Amino acid sequence: MGRLCLPSVRFNKILIANRGEIAVRVICACKDLGIRTVAVYSEADRYSSHVRFADQAICIGPAKSARSYLDVASIISAAEITNVDAVHPGYGFLSENAGFAEVCETSGLKFIGPRPEVIRLMGIKERARAFMREMGVPVLPGSPGVLKSPEEALELAAEIGYPVILKASAGGGGRGMRIVNQPSELPSLLAQAQQEASAAFGSGDMYLEKFIGAPRHIEFQLLADEYGNVEILGERECSIQRRHQKLLEESPSPAVNDRQRAEISTALRKAIAASGYTNAGTVEFLMDETGKLYFIEVNARVQVEHPVSEFVTGIDIVKSQIRIAQGETLPEILPGPVTLRGHSIECRINAENPDTFVPSPGRITGFHLPGGIGVRVDTWAYTDCVIPPYYDSLVAKLVTYGSDRGEAIRRMQRALSMFIVEGIHTSIPMHQRIMADPDFQAGNFDTNFIKRFAK
Ligand code: MV4
């Protein structure tokens, strides 16, 4: 019996088109796979640890992202000079840029992510929404497509009931949204939002949804190979965030039960397979006050918070991304059926004032990492490193695992108390307050939770 021969290749060398902890995380996966690595860095990151840990490193430009980590020509040149087989985009920067994925492919480089046309489709939020609805994934009541006129918007809003939310088709992640409480406000808010969206995203297309005032943000992690196999790796609870910046994530969500998880996973497996989506991705949902889940958008990249899913599934998501891109099948990559076991929590340790959230770049003069059973730290920082002011303020991700949520919380409290960062402000004290909060401990919170912690 001959096994079906699939066109899988082995990468010899991968370029990581990113910086910080995620660049280090991708280097770890490459080392585990025996694949050599090329780091790219800006002039501000000459002494960053991703440069040190990669087999080769190339400077791609000045500190400003637009002239380095977002400079497609510089990155492609670096890939050609170093003769890599593939490019891992990490998160942020060029990770969801369909044009970049396309240039990689036309340059003979495998882009470790979905195909360009699928990235493009998922970036048009109203089309992703229509697609999911057709596939039987629950979506919020809303417009069938792009709003054609203020009159149509008023008609739809009257049917749905106020409040409604206007969203930019090309937006996402909270940009280009307007909440409308009554019909009288709608025409002017729509015009404002359209103008803002055209300026920011080059498209003023808007759509409309029923507004959920106190939602939980819950997202499902998936892996899809290049042969139509899809696996759902459970969900993450991401409601504790401020201004669309997540601060803490966990898996599983305290608000999702086994039946609901199974229902959503079944619907998503079918929808994702039909969409032609490949590699790793996340499907975001909002949970309303009655506990129902509604699709909102797809993130076509690996996310900051992927380690909590790794802890509860035992699956290395970044390694899986690389193996999928090599043409391997999910049955080859995954050890057996996907099961969720125990509980994991991630605290984002940011260089910022824990009360005001004001960024706090500068030199770390003293640094000690926690460890011990059930603790993982993903970081690029070290004693005497300098946090540049040009990029996001994520210094480390502190992730704990426990056999249940209580154990994961206690281990987080232990690890936070043993995490020492001197010379800059960090969000560690804020996380200590969250861990001690009775509502957090009870799993009783929504996206408005953090308002109580901001001064
Ligand atoms: C919503 C919403 C309420 N109702 N959509 C913000 C991020 C983007 N992905 C979608 N967002 C929201 N969409 C409807 N129909 C509230 C938000 C929202 C939010 C969502 C998740 C996490 C934090 C949030 C904070 C403010 C608003």
Side-chain angles (χ1 to χ4, degrees), residues 185-318:
E185 314 173 329
L186 195 149
S188 63
L189 286 175
L190 178 60
Q192 259 179 42
Q194 276 171 332
Q195 261 180 18
E196 228 179 76
S198 320
F201 320 119
S203 159
D205 286 355
M206 303 294 299
Y207 64 105
L208 180 152
E209 276 177 356
K210 172 92 193 141
F211 177 69
I212 311 290
R216 296 177 78 121
H217 176 143
I218 292 165
E219 56 186 31
F220 284 73
Q221 174 70 51
L222 65 91
L223 289 173
D225 69 16
E226 298 180 346
Y227 313 96
N229 302 302
V230 180
E231 290 287 354
I232 309 298
L233 277 52
E235 80 287 349
R236 293 185 288 260
E237 167 71 63
C238 304
S239 298
I240 300 187
Q241 54 75 49
R242 181 180 177 270
R243 299 196 182 159
H244 310 299
Q245 285 292 105
K246 294 166 189 159
L247 300 172
L248 182 162
E249 308 91 353
E250 55 183 305
S251 184
S253 166
V256 174
N257 61 41
D258 291 348
R259 186 184 47 78
Q260 195 171 25
R261 179 179 306 112
E263 268 174 31
I264 297 285
S265 297
T266 301
L268 284 180
R269 257 192 302 273
K270 179 179 151 213
I272 291 295
S275 72
Y277 192 100
T278 54
N279 215 272
T282 300
V283 187
E284 290 186 14
F285 287 81
L286 293 183
M287 181 181 272
D288 70 9
E289 293 82 350
T290 73
K292 284 205 195 76
L293 285 166
Y294 302 94
F295 166 83
I296 49 170
E297 55 191 74
V298 175
N299 296 311
R301 61 172 189 277
V302 72
Q303 285 188 282
V304 176
E305 56 270 26
H306 75 274
V308 296
S309 299
E310 296 188 320
F311 253 142
V312 298
T313 61
I315 294 167
D316 183 330
I317 292 171
V318 179

